[in-house]
């Protein structure tokens, strides 16, 4: 990515201030029909006089004094399979949005997000409305202390942790074998990529958080709630996708089942391994002893049962 930017984008106006473009995240995936590119970038200025409009304190490696000026989250999905063309289009959009901001900083927001626009469109299609919560917090505003999970859609980990789904309404859910999709009121397909949702009883987490590329619109049912949210699915890394053609990804995913967790302290999602389990079970000698007796500590179902016991030991009484 850095090589592409440096070789393709030439500074043609030396009168402009110097800015640094930092690529925070990017994902490139595809199907036989389309190529999908997601790009998150921050533009920094070399100076300490500007304010920080994004609220982010992200250091620039080669210039710790640089301050963030503009943030852009871009989605490109086109029929072309040429990687260079897709990368170029995504970067061009980000630069054009940044130019718009520099031209009219007083009237143009310093943040642009295709993801926010996509989320708003999805909410309209699903017939969901924004819900406003009281500023006063109680145990009902804590996922691990509440007596009742609130029905609705989570747009972020913060909403999940607070048991405060921001989008509510009549959810149309299609479920099968612990996986679910959110549908339009008519029952037809709806494109959405929310963080997760609750049907009033169970939690469902988007598979995008651990299947690199993020094209999936399916959600997986959480099997255990506590210190970790735990479920079983296929954990597919970008490296695994890179090693297989797009048509083989489905076959790759069908070959194994993983125990996957969402860390309720950090919001991180990761695949459980036998090497990670001792640290996760630290302080619980009985569970560590049981780990030593597992016939296959790498088996996802055995890992899930062990972590479910951990969750039942450490979670608040109200959730038991």
């Amino acid at each position: 990515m850095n090589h592409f930017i440096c070789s393709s984008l030439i500074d043609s106006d030396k009168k402009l201030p110097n800015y640094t473009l930092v690529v925070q995240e990017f994902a490139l995936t595809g199907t036989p029909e389309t190529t999908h590119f997601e790009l998150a970038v921050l533009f920094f200025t070399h100076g300490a006089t500007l304010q920080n409009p994004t609220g982010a304190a992200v250091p620039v490696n080669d210039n710790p004094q640089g301050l963030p000026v503009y943030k852009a989250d871009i989605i490109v999905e086109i029929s072309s399979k040429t990687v260079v063309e897709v990368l170029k289009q995504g970067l061009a959009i980000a630069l054009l949005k940044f130019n718009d901001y520099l031209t009219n900083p007083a009237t143009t927001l310093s943040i642009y997000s295709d993801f926010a626009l996509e989320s708003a469109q999805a909410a309209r299609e699903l017939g969901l409305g924004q819900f406003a919560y009281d500023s006063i917090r109680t145990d009902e505003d804590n996922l691990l202390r509440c007596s009742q999970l609130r029905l609705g859609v989570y747009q972020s980990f913060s909403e999940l942790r607070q048991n405060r789904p921001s989008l509510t309404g009549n959810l149309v859910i299609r479920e099968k074998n612990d996986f679910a999709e959110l549908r339009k009121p008519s029952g037809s397909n709806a494109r959405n990529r929310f963080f997760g949702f609750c049907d009033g009883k169970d939690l469902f987490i988007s598979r995008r958080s651990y299947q690199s590329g993020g094209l999936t619109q399916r959600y997986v049912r959480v099997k255990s709630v506590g210190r970790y949210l735990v479920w079983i699915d296929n954990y597919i890394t970008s490296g695994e996708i890179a090693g297989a053609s797009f048509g083989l990804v489905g076959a790759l995913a069908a070959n194994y089942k993983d125990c996957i967790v969402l860390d309720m302290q950090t919001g991180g999602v990761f695949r459980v391994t036998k090497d990670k389990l001792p640290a996760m079970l630290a302080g619980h000698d009985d569970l560590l002893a049981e780990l030593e007796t597992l016939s296959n500590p790498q088996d996802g179902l055995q890992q899930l049962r062990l972590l479910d016991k951990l969750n039942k030991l450490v979670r608040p009484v109200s959730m038991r």
Side-chain angles (χ1 to χ4, degrees):
M1 176 66 80
N2 287 336
H3 173 73
F4 174 83
I5 294 173
C6 294
S7 62
S8 302
L9 305 178
I10 301 173
D11 181 10
S12 59
D13 190 345
K14 300 299 183 181
K15 296 179 181 179
L16 293 175
N18 291 324
Y19 291 98
T20 300
L21 184 154
V22 176
V23 177
Q24 293 184 300
E25 296 180 65
F26 75 94
L28 183 66
T29 57
T31 68
E33 293 80 26
T34 62
T35 299
H36 185 95
F37 181 45
E38 297 181 1
L39 174 70
V41 299
L42 271 176
F43 290 89
F44 288 80
T45 185
H46 297 286
T49 58
L50 294 182
Q51 298 298 312
N52 180 352
T54 66
V58 182
V60 181
N61 293 334
D62 60 349
N63 185 359
Q65 301 303 314
L67 294 175
V69 178
Y70 187 80
K71 176 176 174 59
D73 293 331
I74 305 297
I75 299 174
V76 176
E77 189 167 297
I78 58 178
S79 59
S80 171
K81 299 182 180 65
T82 304
V83 172
V84 172
E85 184 178 343
V86 179
L87 295 177
K88 193 171 184 178
Q89 182 167 337
L91 289 167
I93 294 172
L95 290 168
L96 287 171
K97 295 296 182 182
F98 183 45
N99 285 342
D100 290 342
Y101 169 75
L102 292 177
T103 303
N104 301 290
T107 58
T108 305
L109 294 177
S110 60
I111 298 176
Y112 173 82
S113 175
D114 280 336
F115 300 99
L117 296 174
E118 185 182 83
S119 177
Q121 175 64 27
R124 288 192 294 270
E125 290 184 349
L126 295 173
L128 303 177
Q130 195 81 23
F131 190 87
Y133 291 91
D134 196 298
S135 59
I136 299 175
R137 301 286 180 85
T138 69
D139 279 353
E140 294 307 307
D141 302 298
N142 184 316
L143 187 77
L144 303 184
R145 295 184 178 278
C146 67
S147 59
Q148 177 63 50
L149 296 172
R150 292 178 174 130
L151 183 147
V153 171
Y154 311 109
Q155 298 190 77
S156 66
F157 169 67
S158 177
E159 292 182 11
L160 169 72
R161 182 163 55 182
Q162 296 176 39
N163 189 33
R164 286 188 166 194
S166 60
L167 299 174
T168 58
N170 295 321
L171 299 184
V172 179
I173 305 169
R174 181 182 177 182
E175 297 181 45
K176 184 178 181 180
N177 299 331
D178 290 325
F179 295 95
E181 296 176 354
L182 291 173
R183 297 289 185 115
K184 296 179 182 178
S186 64
S188 60
N189 290 330
R191 177 169 180 161
N192 57 84
R193 300 187 297 169
F194 299 114
F195 187 85
F197 69 88
C198 176
D199 62 3
K201 178 184 176 182
D202 291 320
L203 299 173
F204 291 82
I205 301 298
S206 172
R207 303 174 84 198
R208 292 186 67 250
S209 59
Y210 56 91
Q211 292 197 348
S212 294
L215 289 177
T216 179
Q217 299 173 54
R218 301 180 72 196
Y219 301 80
V220 61
R221 187 195 308 272
V222 173
K223 292 289 191 177
S224 179
V225 178
R227 169 67 178 82
Y228 301 98
L229 302 190
V230 193
W231 62 89
I232 295 290
D233 194 10
N234 303 300
Y235 192 103
I236 305 176
T237 67
S238 57
E240 289 167 328
I241 288 180
S245 66
F246 293 135
L248 295 178
V249 171
L252 175 71
N255 290 333
Y256 58 91
K257 294 290 184 179
D258 300 308
C259 179
I260 304 173
V261 303
L262 167 60
D263 189 327
M264 287 302 293
Q265 291 185 3
T266 67
V269 176
F270 59 90
R271 171 169 44 197
V272 178
T273 65
K274 64 179 181 180
D275 296 327
K276 292 177 181 177
L277 276 172
M280 298 172 72
L281 302 175
H284 299 276
D285 293 341
D286 53 340
L287 296 181
L288 288 170
E290 184 174 346
L291 172 62
E292 294 296 323
T293 68
L294 293 183
S295 59
N296 181 8
Q298 197 67 4
D299 179 72
L301 290 175
Q302 294 187 46
Q303 294 170 345
L304 186 150
R305 286 192 286 268
L306 201 56
L307 290 174
D308 184 50
K309 291 181 180 180
L310 172 69
N311 281 340
K312 290 175 180 177
L313 284 174
V314 302
R315 68 190 182 192
V317 175
S318 60
M319 286 292 293
R320 296 180 183 174

